[in-house]
Amino acid sequence: MKKKIKTALISVSDKSNLKPLLNILKKNKIKIISSGGTYKEIKRLKFNCLEVSDFTNSPEILEGRVKTLHPKIHAGILNKREKKSHLKDLKNNGFENIDLVVVNFYPFENTLKKTKNHKKIIENIDVGGPTMVRSAAKNYNDVTVITSSDQYLELIEELKRFKGSTSLSFREKLSSIAFSETAYYDSVISDYFNKKTNTIFPKKKILHGNLTEQLRYGENPHQQSAIYSNSSNTYLKQIHGKQLSYNNYNDIFSALTISRSLPKGKGTVIVKHANPCGVSTKNDHLESYKSALSCDPVSAFGGIVSCNFKITKNLALELNKLFLEVIIANGFEGSAIKILKAKKNLRLIDGTNYTSEELLKFVSFNQNIMIQSEDLNLFSTKNFKIVSKRKPTSKQLKDLIFAFNVCRYVKSNAIVLASNETTVGIGSGQPSRLDSCQIAINKMKKFNLQNDNLVAASDAFFPFVDGIEKLVQSGVRAVIQPSGSIRDKEIINFANETDTVLVFSKTRHFRH
């Protein structure tokens, strides 16, 4: 069902690309109504336009807060063209149809990025714009609604094709987009007020996101997938390689979360299936990568490497020796890019601008969403208590905190063996903590990484002595674990009997 456009109302914050739209409206002899800055811009572009206040015979009031909130505007948009009672109401009130609404909103989201001044933020909450858009979207049977300058070209083509009219399918599609725009806009405002009032878990939680990329498929080829971001992008810049997959992104975010928990400019993280299989924070970047790789070179094959620093030529040559899916870094030297681009499918990601500052983590199951604050706190010695008779050396304590930090990003039950700020064995994702201990020990022995400075971290307390006993028997000299077991005293006694350093954390760090 085609609908002729005779009158258009234009009120936009984004005034770019207006001229082509105005040209097609003029060509089809469409009357234009506008207000404020949009009216001035249309006149500057030398097109005829009627100001809203002249159209309604009602001046703008309250410093512009009220200008389009008028019965003549909304009756013109909302009336059903084929309903006699509606036509009668319009005629009795001297109102007329508005067939096209072109509106985009005050830039509330951008205002939040520019200022923390609450008064300025409040003044950038659009009221009239979303109200007109909702009215037009509701009455899509008769009215066309445009909410972005990105839609101008499509509208122009539609008007050309149907000689000044639009099709029902076109109007219905734009209506769907319009309701998404108003919902998104309100969700950003809702989120702002929740943060301002420190309401972490409101009665109704509204999530918003921008489509960043529609992925080839999900975890498996038969699953559909896309990635959304609260901002306009993920702050990850892909500079080479084939398109990222769902699994790639899952690993990338896991790797970056660990990388950003390490000292600035230090650390190599190797991830496979969202689990770290090697981490090192050695000062020398090349040695850092080699050490991380030595923890489990078999699992690293086909994995993801995240370097918390810029990749140089020498490191690129070393990285090129192993098959990897993705390499992430805080920038790449030109010579390094040239070397790594030799593998056409290898994804190179510049993560310089990525930060792990998200306050909440979301996990969904069917129609249910679980939300929790993310485990991003940086550790210091204040978080721990030495409970054994033997006290750790400064080097041991540093290794213990390093191991414990890595441990909280390993799927639970998690055990991490480390030495010289490098992982040497990781046991992950086992129902039994004892099994995780054995896996970590087996990994260490398999790759000949045993030494005299071995420490171990557990993401939760040992419920029985057997777990810590197995670690000490494998050569572990110091253990760090959360407290809280009814057998904590037994664990402490065992540590003292074996002259082992034991440090308790005040908090548990499961990662299911």
Side-chain angles (χ1 to χ4, degrees):
M1 183 170 53
K2 311 296 184 299
K3 289 289 181 177
K4 191 79 172 174
I5 294 177
K6 295 180 180 179
T7 301
L9 192 155
I10 306 176
S11 179
V12 291
S13 291
D14 174 13
K15 297 173 180 62
S16 62
N17 300 321
L18 270 176
K19 193 168 184 178
L21 175 63
L22 296 170
N23 278 328
I24 194 72
L25 298 183
K26 181 180 179 181
K27 185 176 180 180
N28 285 279
K29 298 179 181 179
I30 295 170
K31 176 182 175 181
I32 300 173
I33 306 164
S34 190
S35 64
T38 308
Y39 171 79
K40 291 176 183 176
E41 178 65 11
I42 292 172
K43 297 298 286 185
R44 188 189 71 80
L45 292 170
K46 297 183 169 40
F47 289 88
N48 292 328
C49 183
L50 180 65
E51 197 161 12
V52 163
S53 56
D54 292 329
F55 177 74
T56 60
N57 291 318
S58 179
E60 292 184 13
I61 60 173
L62 306 181
E63 298 176 311
R65 279 191 167 197
V66 176
K67 47 194 173 189
T68 58
L69 296 169
H70 192 281
K72 191 170 185 179
I73 297 291
H74 289 280
I77 298 170
L78 277 166
N79 79 88
K80 295 180 179 180
R81 280 25 173 196
E82 296 174 1
K83 193 163 187 176
K84 289 181 179 179
S85 62
H86 285 202
L87 294 173
K88 185 179 178 181
D89 284 342
L90 257 66
K91 186 176 180 181
N92 290 342
N93 286 282
F95 295 165
E96 60 186 86
N97 292 335
I98 296 173
D99 312 301
L100 170 64
V101 172
V102 182
V103 170
N104 51 62
F105 310 145
Y106 295 166
F108 182 81
E109 201 166 15
N110 286 337
T111 301
L112 294 180
K113 296 174 183 176
K114 293 176 181 177
T115 182
K116 293 184 178 179
N117 185 306
H118 183 62
K119 289 182 179 179
K120 288 182 180 178
I121 290 169
I122 291 297
E123 289 309 313
N124 274 279
I125 296 176
D126 202 333
V127 176
T131 306
M132 286 189 290
V133 165
R134 285 177 62 83
S135 296
K138 177 177 179 177
N139 203 26
Y140 71 87
N141 191 65
D142 296 305
V143 180
T144 304
V145 59
I146 298 291
T147 51
S148 169
S149 58
D150 295 338
Q151 298 165 342
Y152 291 172
L153 184 59
E154 197 174 357
L155 173 62
I156 290 167
E157 292 301 316
E158 185 85 358
L159 293 174
K160 285 179 180 178
R161 183 182 177 189
F162 297 114
K163 299 178 180 178
S165 296
T166 59
S167 62
L168 179 60
S169 60
F170 179 71
R171 296 192 301 274
E172 189 173 27
K173 182 182 77 170
L174 291 174
S175 170
S176 171
I177 295 170
F179 280 121
S180 294
E181 284 293 321
T182 56
Y184 179 92
Y185 193 75
D186 283 339
S187 71
V188 176
I189 296 168
S190 171
D191 189 54
Y192 166 73
F193 276 100
N194 283 334
K195 287 177 180 176
K196 189 176 189 302
T197 58
N198 198 30
T199 307
I200 300 173
F201 302 118
K203 188 173 182 180
K204 294 184 178 180
K205 184 70 178 174
I206 306 164
L207 309 179
H208 59 269
N210 294 283
L211 179 63
T212 301
E213 186 180 354
Q214 190 160 343
L215 305 175
R216 290 178 296 160
Y217 51 78
E219 283 181 292
N220 301 291
H222 61 278
Q223 293 172 268
Q224 293 181 317
S225 181
I227 182 166
Y228 285 81
S229 174
N230 280 354
S231 61
S232 57
N233 60 63
T234 58
Y235 294 102
L236 299 174
K237 182 181 178 183
Q238 184 171 354
I239 57 179
H240 179 68
K242 64 181 180 180
Q243 183 187 8
L244 292 165
S245 70
Y246 177 97
N247 293 332
N248 289 151
Y249 271 115
N250 196 33
D251 285 346
I252 286 169
F253 291 133
S254 296
L256 281 168
T257 300
I258 305 171
S259 284
R260 294 303 185 259
S261 75
L262 303 176
K264 190 174 182 180
K266 287 176 63 176
T268 304
V269 177
I270 305 175
V271 164
K272 188 73 170 289
H273 299 166
N275 258 323
C277 57
V279 183
S280 176
T281 57
K282 288 187 176 179
N283 287 320
D284 183 276
H285 294 163
L286 184 58
E287 284 304 310
S288 173
Y289 166 68
K290 287 181 176 180
S291 297
L293 178 62
S294 67
C295 180
D296 191 348
V298 173
S299 295
F301 183 85
I304 284 180
V305 173
S306 177
C307 298
N308 206 22
F309 45 81
K310 180 180 278 191
I311 290 181
T312 61
K313 178 182 177 180
N314 287 341
L315 180 52
L317 289 169
E318 198 65 32
L319 286 162
N320 233 22
K321 295 177 181 178
L322 181 68
F323 168 65
L324 297 166
E325 289 280 355
V326 183
I327 297 173
I328 316 161
N330 294 342
F332 297 79
E333 287 185 355
S335 55
I337 291 176
K338 189 175 181 180
I339 292 165
L340 296 171
K341 276 188 173 181
K343 296 183 177 181
K344 66 177 184 178
N345 290 329
L346 174 63
R347 293 99 161 172
L348 303 181
I349 306 295
D350 189 332
T352 304
N353 296 321
Y354 181 87
T355 56
S356 293
E357 295 177 355
E358 298 84 359
L359 296 178
L360 298 175
K361 182 179 180 181
F362 300 84
V363 179
S364 65
F365 299 94
N366 294 326
Q367 301 301 312
N368 305 297
I369 300 174
M370 293 196 299
I371 306 174
Q372 67 170 342
S373 57
E374 182 58 287
D375 187 4
L376 295 174
N377 293 341
L378 297 177
F379 292 140
S380 70
T381 53
K382 295 178 182 179
N383 299 107
F384 307 104
K385 182 181 179 181
I386 301 165
V387 294
S388 58
K389 290 179 182 177
R390 175 171 283 279
K391 307 306 174 188
T393 64
S394 59
K395 185 177 181 304
Q396 275 181 322
L397 188 57
K398 201 172 182 180
D399 276 345
L400 285 166
I401 294 174
F402 162 79
F404 197 62
N405 181 60
V406 174
C407 197
R408 64 172 164 168
Y409 299 117
V410 178
K411 296 291 184 183
S412 193
N413 286 314
I415 297 292
V416 171
L417 305 181
S419 178
N420 299 318
E421 294 180 82
T422 297
T423 58
V424 296
I426 299 175
S428 63
Q430 300 304 307
S432 163
R433 189 162 300 279
L434 193 61
D435 287 345
S436 290
C437 289
Q438 190 61 61
I439 290 170
I441 292 165
N442 291 346
K443 291 277 187 181
M444 176 183 68
K445 290 180 177 178
K446 181 177 181 179
F447 302 113
N448 299 311
L449 296 172
Q450 288 171 281
N451 58 61
D452 296 330
N453 302 306
L454 195 60
V455 305
S458 173
D459 61 348
F461 59 69
F462 286 105
F464 303 99
V465 171
D466 55 0
I468 189 172
E469 182 179 29
K470 185 176 284 291
L471 293 174
V472 171
Q473 287 173 349
S474 72
V476 169
R477 300 288 186 87
V479 175
I480 189 167
Q481 64 153 84
S483 59
S485 169
I486 58 172
R487 294 184 177 84
D488 275 353
K489 286 186 179 179
E490 292 179 33
I491 305 298
I492 294 170
N493 289 337
F494 176 81
N496 289 333
E497 288 169 6
T498 55
D499 200 26
T500 302
V501 172
L502 183 61
V503 177
F504 277 175
S505 163
K506 297 176 182 178
T507 52
R508 188 187 72 190
H509 294 275
F510 275 144
R511 197 169 193 87
H512 281 298

